[in-house]
Amino acid sequence: MSEHRIEKSQHAEGEGQGYQRCLVMAGGGFRFGYYLGIYAACQERGKTPDVILASCGAAIAGTIIHHLPDNAQRLTWLTSPQMHAFWRGLQANPEKSLLKAIGGVAKRALFANDVRRIPDLFQDYLFDIPAVLPLPDNTHYLGAPDLAIVAGRLLFSKSEVGQLRGNRKLYAETIFSNHRVASILDGMCSPLASAEWKHSAVADQLLFETQTPVADAVRASIADMYYFRCHQIGEHHYMGGVLDLFPIEIARKLGREVIMERKGLYNKFIDVPALRLVMGIHGNQRLHKVFQQQADYWVDTADMEQALVKHQISKQLFWLRNRLALRIPERHEDFVEMINLQWQYGYRKAMSAFNAK
């Protein structure tokens, strides 16, 4: 992904041919280190993907895999002091007090079915992301899997926030990728634009960005609504890969074989209302539809939150100061232990999936 951007796939000879195997990396929040373990298990069992489809925090893991040739280098990068400093650099939005944050959650829960107005994804967020993501340089090794990153382009401007939406579509599902991926998917509609989602704010057409710097693509994908500020690339703004966190339809079009997670359900008090209010989609209904479709291997990570509690990154409430913060391991060695536990969890879960076949 280079410095210029295009919206339409460019066909080249042989680019329309599908991949052998697609690994879907569906989010993971701050626990995305387990994807490195899943990938290591894929390699060990002869199931190495030739394309990775990543969203949200998993876009970081996918990028590290795409640029670094072995598991030791990948894990070293993810546990580096630079990566630790990056997460320690996340700061609360100074305009978002604790009471405002709680009020926002309550309001979204009360008015979750009210998708009439354009939401504020420019100012209504909890945390600022540091300017520089510590990613490997923009080269990849011979035999590296191709990488496709999911995000959502905003089809409205800051000045339109709060206006009545009507029947207008507010987001375009966007795939940051190479030309081959764009060629395979060219003409495909977003799964979130299906007629079954009658209130969906997602446009029909998939957009493709084949010349965007990978750091920008990752930043766009991790910009989850209400958590981080939407990310600007050129004249466009993007919300996170949460727009299509489980893109199984896209994965099945890309690869003849699909490896995907079976995650736990969305939180019905926080996540479900937010998805309904912003996108007009019921997250758990979408998830059930995903699980009804065909994947060759389902990696069961439904117990992830319970299994990965040690040294985890989580929200911290300071009632007396009326502030919200992130609890991030202060010591680098605790951060390393946290990532190693994530890696082991992903490796173990993927091995269980392969052994079940």
Side-chain angles (χ1 to χ4, degrees):
M1 300 180 189
S2 59
E3 296 181 354
H4 304 289
R5 303 166 33 257
I6 63 174
E7 296 183 0
K8 186 69 173 174
S9 62
Q10 297 178 2
H11 293 270
E13 185 177 355
E15 284 187 344
Q17 297 178 359
Y19 292 89
Q20 170 62 31
R21 185 175 296 112
C22 177
L23 171 62
V24 181
M25 295 184 168
F30 294 115
R31 304 179 183 93
F32 55 83
Y34 70 87
Y35 285 112
L36 298 187
I38 290 177
Y39 189 83
C42 290
Q43 290 181 302
E44 188 170 321
R45 295 300 294 268
K47 298 293 183 182
T48 305
D50 47 353
V51 63
I52 292 173
L53 180 60
S55 58
C56 294
I60 297 176
T63 299
I64 290 173
I65 291 169
H66 179 68
H67 290 309
L68 298 177
D70 63 68
N71 291 315
Q73 289 184 50
R74 296 167 191 144
L75 190 56
T76 297
W77 191 282
L78 200 58
T79 58
S80 67
Q82 293 81 7
M83 190 64 76
H84 181 225
F86 172 79
W87 293 116
R88 293 279 298 169
L90 290 175
Q91 298 293 325
N93 177 359
E95 302 299 320
K96 183 68 68 171
S97 68
L98 176 56
L99 293 179
K100 282 184 179 180
I102 293 173
V105 171
K107 183 178 179 181
R108 290 192 286 275
L110 288 171
F111 300 100
N113 292 323
D114 185 1
V115 293
R116 295 175 300 171
R117 295 189 180 276
I118 298 175
D120 187 357
L121 303 184
F122 298 90
Q123 300 298 328
D124 190 0
Y125 65 93
L126 296 178
F127 302 103
D128 275 311
I129 303 175
V132 179
L133 257 170
L135 297 173
D137 62 39
N138 201 25
T139 59
H140 59 273
Y141 56 95
L142 182 65
D146 284 346
L147 178 64
I149 295 175
V150 180
R153 179 187 293 181
L154 273 59
L155 302 179
F156 59 91
S157 65
K158 186 175 180 180
S159 64
E160 295 175 292
V161 166
Q163 294 181 9
L164 290 173
R165 171 194 161 196
N167 294 320
R168 179 179 174 183
K169 300 299 185 181
L170 302 180
Y171 315 98
E173 184 168 356
T174 304
I175 311 296
F176 296 90
S177 68
N178 61 16
H179 290 300
R180 180 181 177 186
V181 168
S183 178
I184 295 168
L185 299 177
D186 191 26
M188 182 178 182
C189 291
S190 169
L192 282 302
S194 169
E196 67 184 297
W197 312 112
K198 62 180 181 179
H199 297 299
S200 175
V202 181
D204 287 341
Q205 184 182 2
L206 286 179
L207 298 183
F208 305 100
E209 296 283 358
T210 60
Q211 298 183 20
T212 300
V214 68
D216 265 327
V218 174
R219 282 290 299 272
S221 192
I222 66 177
D224 278 2
M225 57 194 183
Y226 298 129
Y227 221 96
F228 300 121
R229 188 207 313 260
C230 59
H231 181 61
Q232 185 172 2
I233 305 175
E235 61 184 9
H236 299 294
H237 289 82
Y238 294 86
M239 64 177 284
V242 69
L243 179 130
D244 191 2
L245 196 58
F246 306 99
I248 189 169
E249 297 89 350
I250 295 173
R252 291 175 63 198
K253 191 170 179 65
L254 282 176
R256 292 184 288 277
E257 188 172 285
V258 172
I259 303 170
M260 189 159 176
E261 286 176 85
R262 189 179 296 275
K263 285 181 176 286
L265 296 176
Y266 285 107
N267 182 296
K268 64 181 180 180
F269 300 110
I270 299 175
D271 302 328
V272 169
L275 291 168
R276 287 279 290 168
L277 194 63
V278 172
M279 299 193 308
I281 302 291
H282 191 294
N284 285 333
Q285 290 178 9
R286 165 63 179 162
L287 200 52
H288 285 306
K289 180 175 175 61
V290 167
F291 292 159
Q292 292 169 3
Q293 299 183 60
Q294 176 64 38
D296 296 274
Y297 297 95
W298 287 101
V299 180
D300 186 357
T301 60
D303 67 344
M304 179 177 61
E305 290 192 15
Q306 294 75 35
L308 295 175
V309 295
K310 190 170 185 180
H311 303 313
Q312 68 175 324
I313 297 176
S314 59
K315 290 188 285 292
Q316 191 170 13
L317 310 182
F318 295 96
W319 292 100
L320 294 179
R321 292 161 48 192
N322 192 24
R323 302 305 302 171
L324 181 69
L326 285 173
R327 182 187 288 112
I328 301 169
E330 184 174 351
R331 299 190 312 164
H332 179 243
E333 52 264 43
D334 290 335
F335 176 77
V336 171
E337 182 180 0
M338 179 187 75
I339 300 298
N340 280 323
L341 288 173
Q342 293 177 8
W343 193 101
Q344 294 163 14
Y345 173 82
Y347 177 85
R348 184 173 67 253
K349 288 292 184 175
M351 280 299 190
S352 295
F354 294 139
N355 290 337
K357 278 287 189 175

